[in-house]
Amino acid sequence: MFKMKNKNIRTKIISNFFVVILITILVFELAVIHFVHYFYYSSMEGILTNEIKLSADLFEAYLNDDLNNIVLQDYDVFYKRTEAQVQLMDNTGIVLMDSIGSSDLGKKLESEDIISAQNGNMGKYIYKRNFNNINVMSLSAPLKSRGQQIGIIRLSVSLEKIDAVIQSIIIKLIIFGIAVSLLSLLLSSLMSLSIVKPLRKLTLIAHQIAEGNFHIKAKVDRSDEIGELARTINFMTENIQKKEQIKNDFISSISHELRTPLTSIKGWAITLQSEDYGMNQLMSDGLDIIEKESDRLSGMVEELLDFSRFVSGRITLQKEPLNLVSLAKSLSTQFKIRANNEKIDLIVNYDRDPIMILADKNRIKQVLINFLDNALKFTESGGTVVINILDVGEEVTLEVIDTGIGITQEEIELVTERFYKGSNSHSHTGLGLSISEEIVELHGGYMEIKSREGEGTSFKVILPKGGLFRE
């Protein structure tokens, strides 16, 4: 009756916790990667800045001469002091000297760093070489002679090793992030159990309470919200038990109080009908109605008394060997007149005779009467009611099938609920099927109800033989 949804609270706790951890790890790793990249690139920029400043200061202090003469005579002073690529350019950006003899020699360069140097400032430019797709950092600074800028010095260095180090760190961070994510997933799963496990226990208890077990108690071993929920459930069940007891006592009391006057009313109605008091037809019909209504009310009282016994646990079974075929034939004869009056065919089918079980005859009879009464009540003229009795090894199947109006799919799960009356029901108390199910379960069996609206209904009972097997 109760089904857990696929996406339960534990899944939500784990997924939410994991998403928070994952976002935290991603933010942390992105921040670390940015810092590592900035640190290594800034360090390289600092080294190149120091070297280019030293070269520019050296030129201004000691090599204060025409740039073309420097290129021809003292160019080695610049590139012997560094491992970087050294380029000397005039103020227009034409490369006059290249320490590695690259294809830039004699060409005019117009990168960002050179433009900054042309304006008298130090400039930086990071780019990828076309031929090997490796990052290169270039710094350019103005060369001055007697306060006048006469050229540009440019230092360029490959960032291949730095990028390899950064990539290695990134891979390690990714592995670390995956490991932390998996660990957090495991921890969140374990942590969620501390919340979900007691909630599942309380859910099972709530289901049992919903099914009518008001004597069950929730274990209170926590001081948090879950413990408070357990205490609330226990308080609720205690109140329900008190109210149920009051209701059951009232039903039992009023049923007993009604039984005596109903017996007297019926008795006097029968007595008056049996004697000749010169009654007219109207009085005779009135007494007949009184007798029938007394029978109907007595039946209702008996159902209420049975209900009171079942819920209070006072019911006991008087088991004895019982021939179900004989019982079905007897009840068929009893209901035959009613069936004929309503133009309904009443049929009994069985695969062998006798079919014996160990059961309380009166209680099984009560179940079968209830089934037949419902079947005849909801089957229209021209319909059929069939009693099937089958011997299936250690069990016996007792089934009543009708061609009546049927039960809606919405109501079929509710017809055995106490005091439930369907939309088409003529039940007096709504207890008949509920009591029948209780009787069947006390015998160790179970009841099945199948129905199609407009086609009919099947009431089936599967009962154990109770040790009475066919030889």
Side-chain angles (χ1 to χ4, degrees), residues 3 21 25 76 114 135 142 151 179 210 232 293 303 310 324 364 368 402 436 438 456 462 469:
K3 295 181 179 179
I21 293 296
I25 291 172
D76 59 333
I114 295 172
N135 285 331
T232 303
E293 288 301 305
E303 280 192 346
F310 276 113
L324 285 179
I364 297 299
L368 192 52
D402 65 58
S436 296
E438 294 276 2
I462 294 88
F469 303 114

Side-chain angles (χ1 to χ4, degrees), residues 2-4 202-213:
F2 297 96
K3 295 181 179 179
M4 296 294 289
L202 291 178
T203 302
L204 291 174
I205 290 171
H207 287 174
Q208 292 186 53
I209 292 172
E211 291 172 358
N213 183 6

Side-chain angles (χ1 to χ4, degrees), residues 185-238:
L185 188 63
L186 177 62
L187 290 175
S188 62
S189 178
L190 295 174
M191 289 171 59
S192 65
L193 280 176
S194 64
I195 299 174
V196 174
K197 195 173 180 180
L199 284 178
R200 282 178 178 170
K201 291 180 179 178
L202 291 178
T203 302
L204 291 174
I205 290 171
H207 287 174
Q208 292 186 53
I209 292 172
E211 291 172 358
N213 183 6
F214 303 127
H215 299 285
I216 192 168
K217 292 289 184 181
K219 186 178 180 181
V220 181
D221 55 359
R222 302 168 67 111
S223 58
D224 55 9
E225 288 83 355
I226 295 176
E228 182 63 27
L229 178 59
R231 283 187 287 272
T232 303
I233 288 175
N234 289 341
F235 178 73
M236 178 186 69
T237 55
E238 289 172 3

Side-chain angles (χ1 to χ4, degrees), residues 63-219:
L63 302 174
N64 197 348
D65 200 350
D66 182 73
L67 187 59
N68 290 320
N69 292 333
I70 297 298
V71 170
L72 294 173
Q73 298 175 10
D74 300 312
Y75 66 88
D76 59 333
V77 173
F78 294 97
Y79 70 79
K80 283 185 177 180
R81 303 176 61 86
T82 179
E83 295 181 358
Q85 177 188 4
V86 181
Q87 292 175 320
L88 294 179
M89 290 166 270
D90 62 16
N91 284 330
T92 63
I94 296 174
V95 179
L96 303 176
M97 187 274 289
D98 191 320
S99 64
I100 63 172
S102 71
S103 60
D104 292 339
L105 191 62
K107 292 181 179 179
K108 183 179 180 181
L109 303 180
E110 295 179 329
S111 57
E112 295 175 6
D113 59 315
I114 295 172
I115 294 172
S116 295
Q118 287 172 340
N119 294 325
N121 301 313
M122 184 179 296
K124 180 182 73 171
Y125 180 51
I126 297 176
Y127 63 97
K128 288 184 181 291
R129 284 177 178 163
N130 294 329
F131 63 90
N132 59 8
N133 203 34
I134 292 175
N135 285 331
V136 175
M137 179 183 289
S138 293
L139 262 66
S140 296
L143 291 176
K144 295 181 180 180
S145 176
R146 299 182 183 89
Q148 297 294 322
Q149 182 171 331
I150 63 170
I152 299 171
I153 182 171
R154 190 190 201 202
L155 300 184
S156 300
V157 65
S158 171
L159 299 175
E160 182 178 9
K161 292 182 179 179
I162 291 177
D163 287 341
V165 172
I166 294 173
Q167 188 175 8
S168 175
I169 293 173
I170 290 173
I171 291 172
K172 290 176 182 177
L173 284 172
I174 291 173
I175 294 172
F176 171 76
I178 292 173
V180 172
S181 298
L182 293 175
L183 181 62
S184 66
L185 188 63
L186 177 62
L187 290 175
S188 62
S189 178
L190 295 174
M191 289 171 59
S192 65
L193 280 176
S194 64
I195 299 174
V196 174
K197 195 173 180 180
L199 284 178
R200 282 178 178 170
K201 291 180 179 178
L202 291 178
T203 302
L204 291 174
I205 290 171
H207 287 174
Q208 292 186 53
I209 292 172
E211 291 172 358
N213 183 6
F214 303 127
H215 299 285
I216 192 168
K217 292 289 184 181
K219 186 178 180 181

Side-chain angles (χ1 to χ4, degrees), residues 295-350:
D295 286 337
R296 186 177 69 86
L297 288 175
S298 295
M300 292 174 62
V301 168
E302 288 303 319
E303 280 192 346
L304 288 172
L305 284 171
D306 272 344
F307 167 75
S308 176
R309 295 188 192 103
F310 276 113
V311 297
S312 62
R314 298 195 308 269
I315 194 74
T316 56
L317 298 178
Q318 305 297 325
K319 290 186 177 182
E320 59 182 314
L322 171 64
N323 182 4
L324 285 179
V325 176
S326 176
L327 177 64
K329 287 180 178 179
S330 173
L331 290 177
S332 175
T333 302
Q334 179 179 331
F335 279 88
K336 200 73 174 179
I337 297 174
R338 176 179 169 185
N340 291 337
N341 289 338
E342 297 177 12
K343 295 181 175 59
I344 297 171
D345 290 333
L346 182 57
I347 303 169
V348 180
N349 293 327
Y350 48 90

Side-chain angles (χ1 to χ4, degrees), residues 244-278:
E244 280 289 309
Q245 188 60 46
I246 292 171
K247 181 188 74 175
N248 295 337
D249 290 345
F250 171 76
I251 291 173
S252 179
S253 175
I254 199 69
S255 299
H256 280 98
E257 292 297 325
L258 287 172
R259 179 186 277 179
T260 301
L262 282 173
T263 302
S264 299
I265 292 170
K266 180 181 177 181
W268 276 106
I270 293 172
T271 300
L272 290 173
Q273 286 182 20
S274 63
E275 300 292 337
D276 186 10
Y277 291 107

